Amino acid sequence: MKKFNIRKVLDGLTAASSSPATAHSGISKENDAVQETLQSEHFQLCKTVRHGFPYQPSSMAFDPVQKILAIGTQAGALRLFGHAGVECYCQHESGAAVIQLQFLINEGALVSALADDSIHLWNLRQKIPAILHSLKFNRERITYCHLPFQSKWLYIGTERGNIHIVNVESFTLSGYVIMWNKAIELSTKTHPGPVVHISDNPMDEGKLLIGFECGVVVLWDLKCKKADYRYNYDEAIHSVAWHHEGKQFVCSHSDGTLTTWNVRAPAKPGQIITPHGKQPKDGKKPEPCKPILKVEYKTTRAGDPFMILSGGLSYDTVGRRACLTVMHGKSTAVLEMDYPIVDFLTLCETPYPNDFQEPYAVVVLLEKDLVVIDLGQIGYPIFENPYPLTIHESPVTCCEYFADCPAELIPALYSIGSRQKRQGYSKKEWPISGGNWGQGTQSYPEIIITGHADGSIKFWDASALMLQVLYKLKTAKVFERARGKEEKPSADIVEEDPFAIQTLSWCPESRMLCVAGVSAHVIVYRFSKQEITTEDVQLLEVRMQCEFGDGDSPDTGGEQTPTLPTPGVSSSPQESDPPIQPSTGSNSSDGPRDNIPCLQVRSSPLKQSPGYQVELVIQLVWVSGEPPQPITSLAINSSYGLVVFGNSNGLAVVDYLQKTLLLNMATSELYSPSEPYQRQPRSPRKARQPSGALCDSNDGSNTSEDRCKSPTSDAKDNSFTRSRSSSVTSIDRESREAISAFHFCESFPRKMDSLISPCLLVGTTQGSVMMVALSLPPSGEQRLQQTVGISSCGTLVDLKGGILTMAILDATGALLPPSYEPWYDPNASEEEREKSRRRRPASPPSSQEGQDSQFAVLCSEKQAKVLALPSQTRIHKHNITETSFVLRADIVQMAGANCIACFCANGHIMTLSLPSLRPLLDMNYLPLTDMRIARTFCFSNVGQALYLTSATEIQRITYSQETCDNLQEMLSELFTPVETPEAPNRGFFKGLFGGGAQSLDREDLFGETTAGKASRSLAQHIPGPGSMEGMKGAASGVVGDLARARVALDERGQKLGELEERTAAMMASAESFSKHAHDMMLKYKDKKWYQL
């Protein structure tokens, strides 16, 4: 039975009856004075760009003239890449795997074949590619496609062994079909299997080479409709490649052999080689090897041809990594890859198959990487990849997004990051160089920070819809590494990834960085441009434990390791006992583990390169056999010199300047106000702690399994279930309360205070917000010698659900960010440090008696509230969701004003105005299909947001109408007008006596007049949204919607009229496009190939 909660009823009554007029006298004036400028028209949701490696790639194609690379994935996604910064993402609606891609070379179009037996024509001449036509096969399964250069007829091979021909202009099937039983010999009793290869003879377009899986290859005469030659081999075929002169071709087989055939000698192969087979001395056949999945045969004018193949390794190389083999003349190079090979393509100087190919690079698509090999340099070095494809180098465990950063940050990070680059790359330019950058108007710097499972942190430049890695920090360097399984630290609480990043706090202005790891460790970093060697990494050990019951002795609080001289003043009221040495830690088999950290900080000197350098390491230790709880919240403030972190046991405040622990307090003790340095007596609170209980056994503290999942299921995730579960008793729920949010601010610590002072807002997973007052010594020497005073001011307000974010606004509604210290180089001379080391002035400490001058904005998983300070009167409340819960909330700046942006578990993205909490946007946008999205979703200023859409890709979205309107300009262009290279010269004698390339009038052969119509039931034509029919349908749908909207929204008629005009213009533009396309088709319809 659901428990009745009188407080909720009273809250509801208060919300219903409260209004600005009945609130505090000072509030109504303040409330009237705040002019909110944000309106619903400022907001619109749309995807902008997707970065990272295509997740689960399945196919690849390259346009050698446009120099654009296309990659298809198993989820039906298409990713297109040009030169650095030019990339595009589009998606097939069906989500079926892309089995093959074919460019219409230099035409700005691409054909995709999918596993659901559909083919699609994409128009790449627009910034957001669209499907012009689709064709869905009903009776046959597509296995292979081939589109000859400068041809509009697409050959499609099927599982039944038949070949159909599609006109790519109209996307209609030709009546010309090559049936499998006509292609193979009549005496053959078995089916030859699916078509695995189709290509036309480079020197004779009228001759089509068809490879069947069983090992049969047929050279088909298109005009005579018969097989010229049939080539039989006992082993299954995986791929076929032509010599450019059209007299030879090579087949790769399932037993690791390559067979070379002379076209006019079908009886037996001209040559059989097993590239990786051991040659027996007695002349027998070499041992069979693994299948050669693909072979390419490329010729050069000046030297030997290249034969490039994947697979074919001998079976005794168990555990060996995937290899690409490059055979050139007498040399054979075996290039090991880090991941299995999905596909590879050889890049050549010419698009014409009947010319010397002159290969210069090989693009290798791996399961988790893209490698481009330079064939022109000795040793085949790889090109340096300019794309941001290393997001997943180690799995991403957390993500933060900072838009509108200080301008000097990106150059500073880039200058130190450029020193980390690997050497030994090819000296040549990246060969995939097509497209143009967008003409974006966004000029503000954007930085994305990703934390990873191996303890690394990457800083990315995300400005202008691009992504480039700036700098990589390895936090694991601070710790000793276990060299083998036997030496694994016994105090380790996570089975895998003990260094994984759980959460981070970064101050862009001071460049201070604080990270919390999964092994209950916190590391504070400073940014320096100079290299230093740290003899001893400064360490602080903190003992955080659950509350004791009546009969137990109180905890001795937070001890610290005296790796540094402790100041004369005791750094915490709890430290009455002498500090515990690390050696007293008990880890024997007969006693419980105690005072042992989870990781061992390195004892040898640490060389720290320019960039982020360790200032302090804080580690939580085991307590009486109980491992430390994961850190759930973290914040750093450079102006105060403080780091604060919390978990399900409570919170700790550390002075990172003095390297001391200031406070280690249980969550329940924050509820009651206290004087500085005076702890209240530890009487058990019945509402919050069951007596005699050390820890709630259900909170995951006793199961290492839950702790191992901490990067993917942090305390926030756990709190969602807790706060919604009605079956859990009140006491159980209260005892699990964890710290979920912190916010440093300059505000009024207590009710009706008249002076502003440094404060810390603390939010919990049960919806309580507490205020903690901070008393800071004067800056300079005194700051390093005197102790910071801390006192709890009790509960400020309660909300439903765990607290997610908090902020302070001034009386005009402007955001008051936490104060910070401007960055200075800690390793620079004292003189330079003093120049830059000026604390940013705090907000004016004025509040007239009885009048409020600040707003506190608080947002939880369920609702948002705005309080006036210092009166602590609630003036606004908004229930964000009743049935779901908020996963991420951020207070962001947009169009010169502030708002709360929320992402709900039900997929809704919402924004609320400040301070009145008016709903401005609510769209069901992104259903939560994966906890990865929940863990990585974050909003930033100026209408930007992002999340990890797969293990390897970041999806960026915008909630700004202005960005949506300008998106077309900002996106890069894939297609650029380029002249097609001239066809190879046939030469005088070849022209006179024949022997040059033979052309074929395919229109005459495959057109409806000669070949007739194809069976209607074979395939269904579907106009794409990019075609005229789709345009008209979409436009008419918009007109209908507008008509309905006009009835409901008369007062916005002007805007609707503008939309209607845009719709009409879109339809006119679509008709004009269709007319031009039709005229172009008529113009070239009856021309021969040499007239084009």
Side-chain angles (χ1 to χ4, degrees):
M1 183 179 149
K2 195 172 182 181
K3 197 165 59 175
F4 181 77
N5 192 329
I6 188 70
R7 196 175 71 184
K8 288 182 182 176
V9 176
L10 292 171
D11 266 355
L13 289 170
T14 317
S17 60
S18 70
S19 67
T22 60
H24 190 271
S25 58
I27 304 295
S28 58
K29 292 175 194 171
E30 293 297 338
N31 200 29
D32 294 340
V34 177
Q35 294 293 318
E36 293 185 4
T37 55
L38 283 179
Q39 302 298 327
S40 297
E41 293 79 56
H42 288 106
F43 295 91
Q44 178 61 46
L45 270 173
C46 70
K47 290 181 181 178
T48 51
V49 285
R50 184 173 288 201
H51 302 295
F53 182 76
Y55 184 59
Q56 294 182 330
S58 55
S59 56
M60 178 171 61
F62 182 70
D63 186 325
V65 180
Q66 286 289 318
K67 301 211 181 302
I68 294 284
L69 181 76
I71 295 175
T73 75
Q74 291 179 27
L78 270 184
R79 294 285 299 280
L80 296 121
F81 297 92
H83 71 80
V86 176
E87 48 181 302
C88 176
Y89 158 77
C90 32
Q91 176 73 43
H92 293 92
E93 274 187 30
S94 69
V98 181
I99 56 173
Q100 205 175 344
L101 294 168
Q102 291 266 301
F103 273 102
L104 278 69
I105 293 171
N106 206 25
E107 296 286 339
L110 175 75
V111 172
S112 57
L114 270 58
D116 65 355
D117 309 307
S118 61
I119 56 169
H120 308 267
L121 178 66
W122 289 86
N123 177 14
L124 307 183
R125 291 183 178 235
Q126 55 198 65
K127 289 195 169 183
I128 302 174
I131 291 175
L132 293 169
H133 299 283
S134 297
L135 198 63
K136 178 81 166 67
F137 280 74
N138 299 321
R139 299 202 306 250
E140 298 206 46
R141 308 222 62 183
I142 298 171
T143 54
Y144 195 87
C145 298
H146 171 63
L147 181 67
F149 179 45
Q150 292 183 326
S151 165
K152 67 176 185 181
W153 297 97
L154 173 71
Y155 301 107
I156 294 180
T158 70
E159 196 173 48
R160 290 187 183 178
N162 303 325
I163 292 176
H164 301 278
I165 299 164
V166 174
N167 182 327
V168 291
E169 283 176 356
S170 60
F171 246 53
T172 53
L173 274 169
S174 164
Y176 191 114
V177 182
I178 304 171
M179 303 300 286
W180 68 270
N181 53 354
K182 299 276 179 65
I184 65 167
E185 289 183 76
L186 294 175
S187 58
T188 309
K189 293 179 180 178
T190 55
H191 189 277
V195 174
V196 294
H197 178 84
I198 308 169
S199 62
D200 43 358
N201 186 318
M203 285 295 181
D204 189 350
E205 295 173 351
K207 301 291 168 54
L208 198 67
L209 196 70
I210 306 162
F212 295 97
E213 189 181 62
C214 69
V216 174
V217 178
V218 176
L219 189 67
W220 181 264
D221 188 319
L222 289 165
K223 282 183 184 174
C224 302
K225 299 184 182 180
K226 66 179 183 67
D228 275 0
Y229 300 104
R230 295 182 180 92
Y231 313 85
N232 290 289
Y233 193 70
D234 293 340
E235 295 293 336
I237 289 176
H238 284 276
S239 74
V240 183
W242 278 103
H243 186 283
H244 83 274
E245 289 177 349
K247 295 175 182 175
Q248 276 187 339
F249 61 88
V250 177
C251 300
S252 73
H253 297 277
S254 57
D255 64 346
T257 58
L258 294 174
T259 55
T260 306
W261 299 82
N262 293 317
V263 170
R264 296 179 183 275
K268 62 172 187 173
Q271 186 185 31
I272 303 173
I273 58 168
T274 311
H276 294 283
K278 292 173 184 172
Q279 298 292 335
K281 292 177 183 176
D282 53 8
K284 290 181 182 175
K285 279 179 70 175
E287 289 178 13
C289 294
K290 294 174 185 175
I292 296 176
L293 301 175
K294 185 173 182 179
V295 63
E296 293 209 338
Y297 192 12
K298 303 297 178 185
T299 53
T300 59
R301 273 190 176 81
D304 295 309
F306 282 87
M307 205 173 281
I308 300 158
L309 53 111
S310 63
L313 295 178
S314 63
Y315 281 103
D316 59 7
T317 54
V318 178
R320 188 171 175 182
R321 293 188 293 186
C323 293
L324 187 82
T325 306
V326 181
M327 299 166 68
H328 183 223
K330 291 180 180 177
S331 73
T332 299
V334 181
L335 310 175
E336 279 200 351
M337 301 292 153
D338 290 336
Y339 305 101
I341 296 171
V342 175
D343 196 3
F344 73 88
L345 291 170
T346 311
L347 308 190
C348 301
E349 297 289 355
T350 177
Y352 294 94
N354 58 357
D355 194 8
F356 284 99
Q357 297 298 285
E358 304 294 348
Y360 59 89
V362 183
V363 182
V364 190
L365 178 63
L366 308 175
E367 279 185 5
K368 293 185 179 179
D369 202 0
L370 182 74
V371 176
V372 182
I373 297 159
D374 184 354
L375 291 178
Q377 280 183 255
I378 296 168
Y380 304 130
I382 64 168
F383 289 87
E384 185 176 6
N385 198 321
Y387 309 137
L389 302 184
T390 57
I391 291 166
H392 63 286
E393 195 172 26
S394 171
V396 175
T397 53
C398 73
C399 205
E400 293 296 335
Y401 190 4
F402 301 85
D404 220 1
C405 302
E408 68 279 0
L409 253 181
I410 288 175
L413 288 164
Y414 181 80
S415 66
I416 53 158
S418 57
R419 304 174 201 177
Q420 298 178 328
K421 289 190 175 175
R422 279 175 49 195
Q423 303 300 314
Y425 288 113
S426 168
K427 303 287 189 291
K428 294 179 188 171
E429 290 289 314
W430 180 251
I432 304 162
S433 55
N436 286 318
W437 286 339
Q439 306 299 312
T441 52
Q442 287 184 344
S443 56
Y444 48 84
E446 298 172 75
I447 289 177
I448 294 169
I449 303 179
T450 52
H452 299 263
D454 64 353
S456 62
I457 293 171
K458 288 181 183 175
F459 291 77
W460 305 82
D461 176 7
S463 312
L465 294 188
M466 295 187 193
L467 195 69
Q468 180 185 11
V469 70
L470 290 169
Y471 170 67
K472 181 178 176 181
L473 170 67
K474 295 178 180 176
T475 65
K477 282 185 176 178
V478 179
F479 301 104
E480 298 282 5
R481 280 189 176 271
R483 290 178 181 83
K485 286 184 180 176
E486 297 76 22
E487 295 180 49
K488 194 171 183 179
S490 52
D492 205 347
I493 59 165
V494 276
E495 291 164 9
E496 292 178 11
D497 304 323
F499 310 113
I501 306 298
Q502 184 112 356
T503 183
L504 59 88
S505 174
W506 186 53
C507 174
E509 288 80 12
S510 67
R511 305 185 191 175
M512 289 298 297
L513 173 68
C514 188
V515 300
V518 72
S519 296
H521 62 276
V522 174
I523 312 175
V524 181
Y525 287 94
R526 281 189 191 273
F527 185 87
S528 173
K529 293 181 178 178
Q530 299 177 21
E531 184 178 292
I532 58 164
T533 299
T534 306
E535 292 299 324
D536 292 306
V537 175
Q538 295 174 334
L539 170 66
L540 199 62
E541 289 184 355
V542 178
R543 184 181 172 93
M544 291 177 83
Q545 64 191 76
C546 297
E547 298 174 72
F548 285 77
D550 287 328
D552 298 302
S553 59
D555 71 304
T556 54
E559 289 81 20
Q560 63 183 66
T561 331
T563 45
L564 292 167
T566 316
V569 182
S570 173
S571 62
S572 168
Q574 307 149 321
E575 289 185 339
S576 51
D577 295 351
I580 293 181
Q581 299 284 346
S583 57
T584 60
S586 156
N587 194 24
S588 60
S589 55
D590 54 345
R593 218 177 268 172
D594 198 43
N595 286 326
I596 302 264
C598 303
L599 297 171
Q600 190 179 347
V601 172
R602 63 184 289 163
S603 51
S604 55
L606 176 65
K607 182 183 173 185
Q608 305 208 65
S609 305
Y612 275 102
Q613 298 171 348
V614 180
E615 173 86 355
L616 176 67
V617 178
I618 306 158
Q619 287 186 289
L620 301 189
V621 295
W622 286 66
V623 178
S624 308
E626 288 295 325
Q629 292 299 294
I631 291 161
T632 54
S633 192
L634 175 73
I636 188 167
N637 186 284
S638 58
S639 182
Y640 308 156
L642 300 180
V643 165
V644 58
F645 55 92
N647 60 14
S648 58
N649 292 343
L651 86 160
V653 182
V654 169
D655 182 338
Y656 67 77
L657 297 176
Q658 295 186 21
K659 313 291 189 292
T660 55
L661 177 70
L662 299 173
L663 183 73
N664 180 6
M665 186 182 267
T667 313
S668 61
E669 294 180 312
L670 286 168
Y671 281 88
S672 48
S674 65
E675 293 303 313
Y677 298 111
Q678 289 181 10
R679 298 289 293 279
Q680 296 297 307
R682 286 192 141 223
S683 57
R685 294 169 59 95
K686 288 193 172 112
R688 303 218 165 254
Q689 177 67 40
S691 90
L694 244 172
C695 251
D696 182 10
S697 61
N698 296 324
D699 68 355
S701 59
N702 299 327
T703 55
S704 61
E705 196 177 323
D706 288 349
R707 289 189 300 277
C708 298
K709 296 176 187 167
S710 43
T712 51
S713 55
D714 57 21
K716 283 183 187 175
D717 303 337
N718 298 335
S719 71
F720 300 150
T721 354
R722 293 170 197 160
S723 59
R724 292 196 316 280
S725 170
S726 58
S727 63
V728 182
T729 66
S730 174
I731 290 176
D732 283 342
R733 285 169 55 199
E734 302 281 339
S735 66
R736 296 175 182 182
E737 187 167 25
I739 306 293
S740 60
F742 291 116
H743 183 69
F744 283 103
C745 56
E746 310 234 334
S747 187
F748 305 97
R750 294 170 184 82
K751 195 169 186 175
M752 304 318 296
D753 272 1
S754 58
L755 288 176
I756 286 176
S757 62
C759 300
L760 173 67
L761 284 169
V762 181
T764 74
T765 53
Q766 295 299 321
S768 297
V769 178
M770 279 79 82
M771 185 76 92
V772 175
L774 306 171
S775 171
L776 295 166
S779 56
E781 276 305 307
Q782 288 175 289
R783 173 65 186 86
L784 298 174
Q785 290 172 355
Q786 296 179 20
T787 311
V788 177
I790 302 177
S791 58
S792 170
C793 303
T795 306
L796 182 67
V797 68
D798 284 311
L799 283 77
K800 291 180 191 170
I803 303 297
L804 296 177
T805 190
M806 303 175 281
I808 301 290
L809 309 180
D810 68 10
T812 64
L815 192 67
L816 292 172
S819 62
Y820 59 83
E821 185 179 62
W823 175 75
Y824 65 91
D825 197 323
N827 302 319
S829 65
E830 197 63 40
E831 200 176 308
E832 286 178 34
R833 285 168 62 171
E834 283 306 314
K835 276 183 195 172
S836 59
R837 202 171 170 180
R838 293 187 307 276
R839 190 177 149 200
R840 180 174 155 272
S843 317
S846 61
S847 173
Q848 295 166 16
E849 195 63 40
Q851 188 166 343
D852 292 308
S853 60
Q854 284 187 347
F855 297 104
V857 181
L858 314 154
C859 184
S860 76
E861 296 168 344
K862 292 285 188 179
Q863 59 183 193
K865 288 183 181 179
V866 174
L867 273 63
L869 298 177
S871 70
Q872 299 187 4
T873 315
R874 192 192 79 204
I875 55 168
H876 295 291
K877 171 186 166 185
H878 178 75
N879 289 326
I880 299 169
T881 174
E882 292 293 339
T883 56
S884 185
F885 55 100
V886 179
L887 287 163
R888 176 79 185 218
D890 289 291
I891 289 145
V892 292
Q893 291 177 298
M894 241 290 282
N898 304 300
C899 64
I900 302 178
C902 305
F903 170 51
C904 264
N906 60 9
H908 284 248
I909 290 178
M910 292 173 270
T911 58
L912 305 171
S913 72
L914 287 175
S916 70
L917 303 179
R918 279 182 302 114
L920 297 170
L921 172 77
D922 185 354
M923 278 185 72
N924 187 2
Y925 184 72
L926 181 72
L928 184 64
T929 52
D930 191 341
M931 279 311 293
R932 183 186 292 109
I933 297 172
R935 195 177 69 246
T936 57
F937 196 103
C938 48
F939 294 98
S940 190
N941 291 332
V942 290
Q944 307 298 327
L946 65 81
Y947 57 93
L948 241 76
T949 184
S950 70
T952 63
E953 295 165 293
I954 285 176
Q955 177 67 57
R956 289 164 72 178
I957 63 174
T958 182
Y959 50 96
S960 156
Q961 180 71 59
E962 185 187 359
T963 307
C964 288
D965 292 343
N966 297 328
L967 188 59
Q968 282 286 343
E969 289 175 33
M970 294 155 64
L971 292 173
S972 50
E973 284 179 303
L974 290 167
F975 180 79
T976 48
V978 180
E979 283 288 321
T980 302
E982 283 189 21
N985 191 351
R986 292 173 67 185
F988 175 74
F989 288 106
K990 281 191 176 177
L992 190 64
F993 300 111
Q998 302 293 312
S999 65
L1000 174 74
D1001 188 347
R1002 294 189 180 96
E1003 182 68 44
D1004 183 48
L1005 198 59
F1006 305 141
E1008 199 174 304
T1009 50
T1010 311
K1013 286 187 176 181
S1015 166
R1016 283 189 181 182
S1017 61
L1018 182 62
Q1020 176 191 359
H1021 177 254
I1022 306 160
S1027 67
M1028 185 59 219
E1029 295 92 328
M1031 279 287 223
K1032 281 187 174 173
S1036 63
V1038 172
V1039 172
D1041 289 344
L1042 288 173
R1044 285 189 292 277
R1046 194 186 292 110
V1047 177
L1049 303 166
D1050 284 337
E1051 71 275 17
R1052 294 171 66 187
Q1054 185 183 352
K1055 289 196 186 305
L1056 290 172
E1058 288 171 9
L1059 271 174
E1060 204 161 28
E1061 284 167 17
R1062 279 190 214 164
T1063 304
M1066 188 171 85
M1067 289 183 71
S1069 167
E1071 288 196 27
S1072 165
F1073 176 83
S1074 174
K1075 182 176 178 297
H1076 284 302
H1078 187 68
D1079 291 346
M1080 186 77 75
M1081 188 263 288
L1082 293 175
K1083 181 179 174 184
Y1084 291 104
K1085 184 178 178 183
D1086 299 315
K1087 292 196 175 182
K1088 306 295 184 192
W1089 65 273
Y1090 50 84
Q1091 296 174 310
L1092 294 175

